Amino acid sequence: MWLINSPIGRKVVMSVTGICLILFLTFHLCMNVVAVFSGTGYNGICAFLGSNWYAVLGTIVLAALAVCHILYAFTLTAQNRRARGDVRYEVTSRRPEVSWASQNMLVLGIIILLGLILHLFNFWYNMMFAELAGITNPIPPTHGFEYIQQTFSNPVFVILYIIWICALWFHLTHGFWSAMQTLGLSGKIWLKRWQCIGFVYVTILLLGFLFVILSFALGFAPSLH
């Protein structure tokens, strides 16, 4: 099957899964912004999702997309490195048209993966997984607002999440237009347009997450009501 066996097919899979993950981040931000204005409202959303079948199904689909994206990313990176061989060590400067992000996608990917593991531990493990496994924690699994408060009251977590967001920004601003190019939606005219659209959209998206984090870290978020 060409989607698995050919480099072009793997890039298509990476592009489609990447776009799906960006759409999920958009949905996730819409949820998280609620927490800045109403703790009760955010907990209501968490209770609606919880460990219900549709939330579990969505999580499984999301996990499959993320695993495919990550595995294909590492596979393509390894193939590209083998193809270049020792040539990569002879390069002392990068061409102006080659972005810093495109040359450091592996490093950015590793940072993003580590941040994802931390995020899953702080939230998914204590919420959906705890509810499914019947684990009893001091904070009920549907009280996501309290978990956000607890996480971002710790300065170490705040710094780690900011680093994660910065890595995501570099990764997604490059990945957005690159995905459009791989899918054949980018010509001479549309390449610059997709780069501009991707830059603006991803910047607004991740500034939204940063807004949520800093609102809780600096004490601007409301109390539970």
Side-chain angles (χ1 to χ4, degrees):
M1 186 176 180
W2 74 278
L3 285 175
I4 299 175
N5 297 325
S6 73
I8 298 297
R10 295 188 187 102
K11 288 182 179 180
V12 169
V13 172
M14 275 197 64
S15 299
V16 172
T17 55
I19 291 170
C20 290
L21 292 172
I22 290 175
L23 292 175
F24 168 74
L25 285 176
T26 304
F27 166 75
H28 196 35
L29 176 61
C30 291
M31 282 180 51
N32 286 3
V33 167
V34 174
V36 177
F37 302 100
S38 173
T40 302
Y42 184 74
N43 283 348
I45 295 173
C46 293
F48 173 74
L49 294 173
S51 60
N52 292 304
W53 68 268
Y54 44 82
V56 174
L57 178 61
T59 301
I60 293 171
V61 172
L62 180 63
L65 291 171
V67 169
C68 285
H69 192 80
I70 293 167
L71 290 179
Y72 275 53
F74 279 108
T75 299
L76 284 170
T77 300
Q79 289 177 340
N80 291 337
R81 285 175 174 267
R82 283 198 300 269
R84 289 198 301 267
D86 295 333
V87 174
R88 67 179 183 272
Y89 298 112
E90 298 172 4
V91 178
T92 56
S93 60
R94 64 177 174 87
R95 301 189 305 276
E97 67 272 16
V98 179
S99 67
W100 179 87
S102 66
Q103 288 195 323
N104 294 276
M105 291 298 269
L106 178 61
V107 175
L108 292 172
I110 291 172
I111 294 173
I112 292 168
L113 178 58
L114 293 175
L116 177 61
I117 293 171
L118 175 66
H119 187 64
L120 289 174
F121 175 76
N122 283 335
F123 294 97
W124 179 80
Y125 174 79
N126 289 308
M127 296 174 70
M128 180 181 285
F129 180 80
E131 191 171 354
L132 288 170
I135 298 173
T136 302
N137 291 322
I139 300 175
T142 57
H143 287 208
F145 183 81
E146 289 90 326
Y147 279 109
I148 296 178
Q149 283 184 318
Q150 175 179 273
T151 299
F152 298 124
S153 64
N154 186 330
V156 174
F157 283 144
V158 173
I159 293 171
L160 291 176
Y161 270 83
I162 290 175
I163 293 172
W164 188 32
I165 286 175
C166 290
L168 277 168
W169 184 86
F170 280 108
H171 185 84
L172 296 181
T173 49
H174 171 79
F176 184 92
W177 67 261
S178 180
M180 296 304 176
Q181 189 176 51
T182 298
L183 296 174
L185 301 175
S186 175
K188 291 182 179 179
I189 296 177
W190 271 95
L191 176 60
K192 292 294 183 182
R193 291 178 180 176
W194 283 127
Q195 287 175 334
C196 181
I197 292 169
F199 180 88
V200 172
Y201 187 83
V202 169
T203 299
I204 293 173
L205 180 66
L206 294 179
L207 281 177
F209 283 110
L210 186 62
F211 168 70
V212 174
I213 291 170
L214 293 180
S215 293
F216 280 88
L218 300 177
F220 297 147
S223 302
L224 185 61
H225 63 275

